[in-house]
């Protein structure tokens, strides 16, 4: 049983006109086995939240705490956070020229586990996970994210999540830009990971569509750098019908 | 006519600090002196176009005429390949290209030439390997002539090691339809100086590949030149270099498209680490009026790992005919891409290992072109050793930018010029 606890988190980014506050006090607790959907309009700060938890150097935490099982996440380096059990599936995965997917996965797995995986079982595991995500085996020999289509990048993120077995995964708009088939495949991957471990999921999305395939336990509406409303899955249905307008107008009053 | 096309920004290279120097060459590359006559080349002062980046003061021993010993030569020869002395006149009769600078002409005049002869139609399963070992800091000269017979297929590896002040001319002549790869590694001890001109006259429909790997030595300057003996030739010039503090590593390539329907690629990649690390790449491509159907592309990328290092990158493309398939160049110099490091670290990979992966990946496409697995592994390991040796120990605070007039700011920088 793990708990990711975010309290009073404020975050700013450096801009030409000085620091700009983007997160304005975020409180959120994700326990193992729970799936939290964060929904909000573009520019509301969803990616900022995800990156800040992962430790992206662009974002400066100006207040609040983030802990994983009581450990201070904000004091950890980016790689320490990942080794502690956090995983971020990125909205825009990064190309790493000259580094093959198979080398990358093996290196990451070794770093996370603290020892190299047994070759035979690892190769089998990777093959099976790729098969589940309908990824061509030739994929393993391509360079990380180089020339990948949007859908391939997202599947590759989920592949990593399934192989690295984090305690809490943050999925930043993994659904954006996917067609229905790819969306189903990716959702199955998330559900597999939830079924096989006690994964806690923070599912960031702009659309309700993915919530047909991944059932959230909690829905949080995120506007202008903070959570403005929380509820159960029914809140997603309301958003589907009403959109974000109600929240954005109230937020700007 | 002189053509400048757009510099291609490289995702790996951001953020980068290109500045375009206002240097205008006074002559076409075609007008540069090429001769076997020592007196045709005055001793360089450092002001000449072809020497302006090079620390010529450290090179006087190699500009002076006079007989000298060569390096210790150890070879391993596949069946059919022979090594024997060859007279200067016989070498010239093979059609070797003339020296193009003072160091090369002195090397040709001072050294006893050696012929590595690969017979026609030989398809060598094993490489020809030559280890050249220096044993001191007195000047030495070498002239290696390589003849790859018609329709032969071979790989020649020249490994340079030890301590040396060495000037070298390597003259390759490849036969029609042949396929030759030359890999030259420069892994000298500290304090070594190496000036080299590696030429190839590429046969009709022949394939030629030259890979320069320069890791060790205080001053190394390797000039790889190509001309074509007939149409249909295909030349690839590749280079990998890693400069530490105190090293000057210079690579120049000159592809003279003097025949129709030939292709060429030049790809050089370097990493620099340490406040006084210095690299230079100058890539000249000349497409002559008669070279219709030419297809050429040259690329240089530099990865600056610490403050104060300086990479110069100068692609020059001269085009004298409009009837070509393609001609382009790109040059980019930058630091580690923070996004790449973040992505790798976000998967649990520690920072130093993430940097190692990125550097390995950066060089991967060139290392892959080395046709020998053991050499590939050796070079990869050597690069990783370089990376670890002074591994970001510090951006050395002792390095005073004011003391180094060629590096006007303490930041890693590059100067890029194109014509
Ligand atoms: N480097 C930056 N400089 C200025 N503004 C930024 C920077 N990075 C992000 N922002 C702003 O922060 C806000 C939140 O962005 P983001 O977290 O990406 O939102 P979301 O993921 O919800 O679409 C946006 O208004 C965006 O323009
Ligand atoms: Mg976003």
């Amino acid at each position: 049983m793990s708990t990711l606890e975010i309290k009073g988190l404020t975050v700013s980014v450096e801009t030409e006109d000085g620091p700009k506050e983007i997160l304005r006090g975020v409180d959120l607790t994700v326990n193992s086995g729970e799936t939290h959907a964060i929904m909000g309009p573009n520019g509301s700060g969803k990616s900022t939240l995800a990156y800040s938890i992962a430790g992206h150097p662009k974002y400066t935490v100006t207040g609040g705490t983030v802990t994983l099982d009581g450990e201070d996440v904000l004091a950890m380096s980016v790689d320490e956070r990942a080794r502690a059990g956090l995983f971020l599936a990125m909205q825009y995965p990064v190309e790493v020229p000259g580094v093959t997917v198979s080398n990358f996965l093996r290196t990451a797995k070794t770093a996370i586990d603290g020892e190299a995986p047994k070759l035979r079982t690892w190769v089998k595991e990777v093959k099976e996970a790729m098969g589940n995500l309908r990824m061509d085996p030739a994929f393993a020999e391509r360079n990380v994210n180089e020339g990948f289509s949007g859908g391939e990048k997202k599947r590759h993120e989920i592949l990593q999540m399934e192989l690295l077995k984090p305690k809490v995964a943050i999925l930043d708009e993994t659904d954006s830009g996917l067609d229905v088939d790819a969306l189903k495949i990716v959702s199955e991957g998330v559900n597999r990971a939830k079924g096989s471990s006690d994964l806690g999921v923070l599912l960031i999305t702009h659309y309700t569509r993915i919530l047909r395939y991944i059932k959230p336990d909690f829905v949080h509406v995120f506007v202008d750098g903070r959570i403005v409303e929380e509820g159960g899955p029914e809140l997603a249905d309301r958003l589907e019908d009403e959109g974000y307008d109600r929240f954005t107008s109230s937020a700007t009053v | 006519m002189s053509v400048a096309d757009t510099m291609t920004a490289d995702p790996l290279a951001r953020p980068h600090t290109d500045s375009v120097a206002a240097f205008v060459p006074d002559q076409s590359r075609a007008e540069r002196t090429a001769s076997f006559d020592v007196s045709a080349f005055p001793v360089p002062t450092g002001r000449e176009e072809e020497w302006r980046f090079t620390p010529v003061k450290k090179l006087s021993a190699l500009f002076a005429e006079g007989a000298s010993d060569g390096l210790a030569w150890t070879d391993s020869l596949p069946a059919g390949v022979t090594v024997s002395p060859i007279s200067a006149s016989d070498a010239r009769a093979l059609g070797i290209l003339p020296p193009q600078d003072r160091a090369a002409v002195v090397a040709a005049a001072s050294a006893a030439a050696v012929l590595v002869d690969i017979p026609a139609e030989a398809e060598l399963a094993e490489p020809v390997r030559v280890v050249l070992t220096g044993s001191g800091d007195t000047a030495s000269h070498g002239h290696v002539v390589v003849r790859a017979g018609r329709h032969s297929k071979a790989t020649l590896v020249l490994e340079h090691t030890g301590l040396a002040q060495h000037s070298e001319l390597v003259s390759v002549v490849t036969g029609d339809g042949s396929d030759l790869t030359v890999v030259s590694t420069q892994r000298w001890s500290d304090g070594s100086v190496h000036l080299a001109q590696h030429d190839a006259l590429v046969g009709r429909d022949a394939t030629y590949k030259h890979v320069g790997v320069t890791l060790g030595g205080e001053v190394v300057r390797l000039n790889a030149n190509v001309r074509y003996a007939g149409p249909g030739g295909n030349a690839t010039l590749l280079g990998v270099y890693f400069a530490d503090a105190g090293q000057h590593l210079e690579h120049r390539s000159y592809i003279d498209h003097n025949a129709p329907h030939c292709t060429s690629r030049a790809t050089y990649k370097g990493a620099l680490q340490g406040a006084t690390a210095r690299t230079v790449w100058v890539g000249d491509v000349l497409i002559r009026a008669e070279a219709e159907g030419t297809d050429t592309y040259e690329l240089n990328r530099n990865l600056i790992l610490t403050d104060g290092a300086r990479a110069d990158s100068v692609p020059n493309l001269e085009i004298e005919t409009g009837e070509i398939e393609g001609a382009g160049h790109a040059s980019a110099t930058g630091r580690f891409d923070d996004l790449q490091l973040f992505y790798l670290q976000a998967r649990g990979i520690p920072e130093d290992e993430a940097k190692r992966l990125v550097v390995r990946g950066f060089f991967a496409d060139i290392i892959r072109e080395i046709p020998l697995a053991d050499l590939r592994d050796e070079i990869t390991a050597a690069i990783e050793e370089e990376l670890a040796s002074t591994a970001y120990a510090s951006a050395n605070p002792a390095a005073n930018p004011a003391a180094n007039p060629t590096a006007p700011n303490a930041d890693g920088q590059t100067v890029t010029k194109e014509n």
Side-chain angles (χ1 to χ4, degrees):
Chain A
M1 167 78 187
S2 287
T3 303
L4 174 69
E5 195 169 17
I6 302 160
K7 276 194 189 157
L9 188 67
T10 57
V11 170
S12 66
V13 293
E14 211 47 58
T15 70
E16 281 169 8
D17 325 314
K20 175 184 173 191
E21 187 168 67
I22 298 177
L23 297 191
R24 304 192 302 142
V26 178
D27 296 291
L28 183 65
T29 299
V30 179
N31 293 304
S32 294
E34 296 176 355
T35 297
H36 294 249
I38 291 199
M39 305 193 62
N42 273 332
S44 57
K46 303 183 301 297
S47 289
T48 302
L49 175 64
Y51 278 132
S52 300
I53 297 168
H56 194 295
K58 188 173 111 179
Y59 301 94
T60 310
V61 175
T62 51
T65 58
V66 178
T67 59
L68 181 63
D69 300 331
E71 299 284 330
D72 182 2
V73 168
L74 299 178
M76 300 178 194
S77 64
V78 175
D79 47 300
E80 282 167 349
R81 295 177 198 208
R83 293 199 296 276
L86 292 174
F87 180 88
L88 169 60
M90 295 188 205
Q91 186 175 359
Y92 303 108
V94 182
E95 293 183 7
V96 191
V99 177
T100 61
V101 167
S102 72
N103 184 18
F104 167 62
L105 293 175
R106 192 171 4 87
T107 306
K109 184 66 176 174
T110 303
I112 297 277
D113 289 4
E115 59 178 353
K118 291 222 167 43
L119 195 62
R120 286 257 308 277
T121 48
W122 174 246
V123 169
K124 216 179 115 208
E125 204 179 326
V126 172
K127 233 182 169 166
E128 196 180 307
M130 287 178 62
N132 286 337
L133 290 165
R134 324 275 200 287
M135 294 169 81
D136 191 306
F139 215 84
E141 294 319 312
R142 288 171 64 183
N143 293 334
V144 171
N145 292 321
E146 213 176 45
F148 288 19
S149 69
E152 286 172 336
K153 283 182 183 164
K154 298 302 176 73
R155 281 188 243 186
H156 180 227
E157 295 292 288
I158 298 304
L159 173 69
Q160 294 166 52
M161 184 190 73
E162 290 199 71
L163 292 168
L164 299 179
K165 305 191 193 316
K167 292 174 180 157
V168 176
I170 304 164
L171 310 182
D172 189 5
E173 297 209 23
T174 301
D175 53 333
S176 293
L178 296 185
D179 62 27
V180 175
D181 290 338
L183 183 68
K184 281 185 190 163
I185 290 167
V186 158
S187 301
E188 282 168 22
V190 175
N191 290 327
R192 252 192 322 271
K194 285 172 62 177
S196 66
S197 67
D198 209 14
L199 182 67
V201 176
L202 189 56
L203 181 73
I204 295 173
T205 180
H206 186 71
Y207 310 103
T208 51
R209 192 176 58 148
I210 193 172
L211 303 181
R212 285 177 221 150
Y213 307 102
I214 302 173
K215 290 288 166 213
D217 303 300
F218 305 92
V219 174
H220 311 265
V221 182
F222 202 84
V223 176
D224 205 14
R226 67 173 83 173
I227 293 169
V228 295
E229 182 149 342
E230 299 178 290
E234 75 288 346
L235 182 54
D237 300 334
R238 265 182 66 201
L239 286 171
E240 172 83 59
D241 297 338
E242 303 171 13
Y244 295 114
D245 285 357
R246 187 165 62 88
F247 302 102
T248 47
S249 51
S250 74
T252 50
V253 170
Chain B
M1 185 179 72
S2 189
V3 164
D5 42 323
T6 47
M7 308 295 286
T8 308
D10 168 21
L12 235 186
R14 154 203 67 204
H16 80 261
T17 50
D18 282 356
S19 69
V20 175
F23 182 86
V24 180
D26 53 5
Q27 61 177 11
S28 159
R29 180 68 210 236
E31 294 159 21
R32 190 94 55 87
T33 308
S35 170
F36 287 96
D37 178 8
V38 176
S39 66
F41 298 91
V43 172
T45 62
R47 286 188 297 274
E48 302 79 2
E49 166 58 19
E50 67 266 45
W51 291 102
R52 67 191 176 102
F53 295 111
T54 321
V56 292
K57 285 191 186 68
K58 294 180 177 174
L59 309 175
S60 45
L62 297 178
F63 295 146
E65 283 182 83
S68 74
D69 292 336
L71 302 171
W73 171 296
T74 319
D75 60 31
S76 114
L77 307 177
V81 177
T82 59
V83 170
S84 57
I86 181 171
S87 71
S89 59
D90 286 352
R92 285 164 70 165
L94 292 178
I96 65 172
L97 304 188
Q100 300 192 25
D101 66 31
R102 173 79 189 186
V105 78
V106 169
S110 310
V114 171
L115 174 69
V116 177
D117 207 2
I118 299 156
E121 321 237 337
E123 296 221 3
L124 305 183
E126 294 297 318
V128 183
R129 284 184 96 137
V130 177
V131 180
L132 294 159
T133 310
S135 56
D137 57 4
T138 55
S140 62
H141 301 95
H143 186 190
V144 180
V145 179
V146 181
R147 175 168 59 184
R150 150 180 61 77
H151 296 299
S152 65
K153 185 166 171 26
T155 296
L156 166 66
V157 181
L158 296 171
E159 293 172 85
H160 299 90
T161 63
L163 177 66
Q165 296 261 336
H166 189 60
S167 184
E168 173 183 66
L169 181 63
V170 173
S171 307
V172 174
V173 177
T174 78
D176 294 352
S178 63
D179 182 348
L180 177 69
T181 296
V182 175
V183 181
S184 180
T185 65
Q186 290 64 243
R187 299 186 59 196
W188 302 106
S189 328
D190 293 350
S192 293
V193 172
H194 183 201
L195 302 178
Q197 175 176 325
H198 289 191
D199 296 326
L201 180 66
V202 177
R204 185 192 171 102
D205 301 319
T207 297
Y208 171 70
K209 184 158 79 183
H210 181 276
V211 191
V213 179
T214 305
L215 305 178
E218 184 177 339
V219 180
V220 176
R221 174 173 138 129
L222 173 55
N223 300 348
N225 303 315
V226 164
R227 258 176 86 85
Y228 298 89
N234 175 349
T236 305
L237 301 179
L238 303 171
V240 164
Y241 46 91
F242 196 120
D244 293 320
Q247 284 187 296
H248 173 102
L249 306 182
E250 179 168 341
H251 293 82
R252 288 169 175 259
S253 50
Y254 172 33
I255 299 163
D256 183 352
H257 276 280
N258 61 323
H261 303 292
C262 293
T263 61
S264 65
R265 293 288 181 273
T267 310
Y268 287 77
K269 288 190 175 184
L272 297 85
Q273 174 170 270
T276 55
R278 185 86 159 81
T279 67
V280 176
W281 173 78
V282 180
D284 293 338
V285 173
L286 169 61
I287 304 175
R288 294 181 189 262
E290 59 270 35
E292 291 181 1
T294 291
D295 184 358
T296 179
Y297 196 84
E298 56 175 350
L299 169 77
N300 176 228
R301 284 183 185 165
N302 296 296
L303 190 55
I304 293 186
L305 305 177
T306 54
D307 284 348
R310 174 173 166 146
D312 284 285
S313 182
V314 186
N316 293 310
L317 183 54
E318 290 178 77
I319 306 179
E320 295 175 348
T321 171
E323 304 295 307
I324 58 171
E325 289 290 316
H329 60 77
S331 160
T333 297
R335 292 160 178 281
F336 272 122
D337 185 330
D338 290 341
L339 288 179
Q340 287 179 8
L341 293 180
F342 172 71
Y343 189 73
L344 295 171
Q345 285 183 259
R347 300 307 179 238
I349 300 169
E351 185 179 5
D352 56 346
E353 198 174 349
K355 288 184 168 171
R356 205 154 52 227
L357 267 182
V358 169
V359 169
R360 191 198 264 247
F362 174 72
F363 287 124
D365 56 341
I366 300 183
I367 301 287
R368 195 169 42 226
E369 296 293 319
I370 297 172
L372 305 165
D374 64 332
L375 193 58
R376 273 198 304 271
D377 294 346
E378 198 183 308
I379 291 166
T380 301
I383 289 172
E384 286 178 8
E385 225 167 85
E386 293 274 347
L387 191 62
S389 65
T390 41
Y392 324 102
S394 59
N396 182 5
N400 173 8
N404 183 0
T406 59
N409 64 46
D411 263 10
Q413 66 156 6
T414 179
V415 178
T416 301
K417 179 200 75 120
E418 51 183 322
N419 295 307

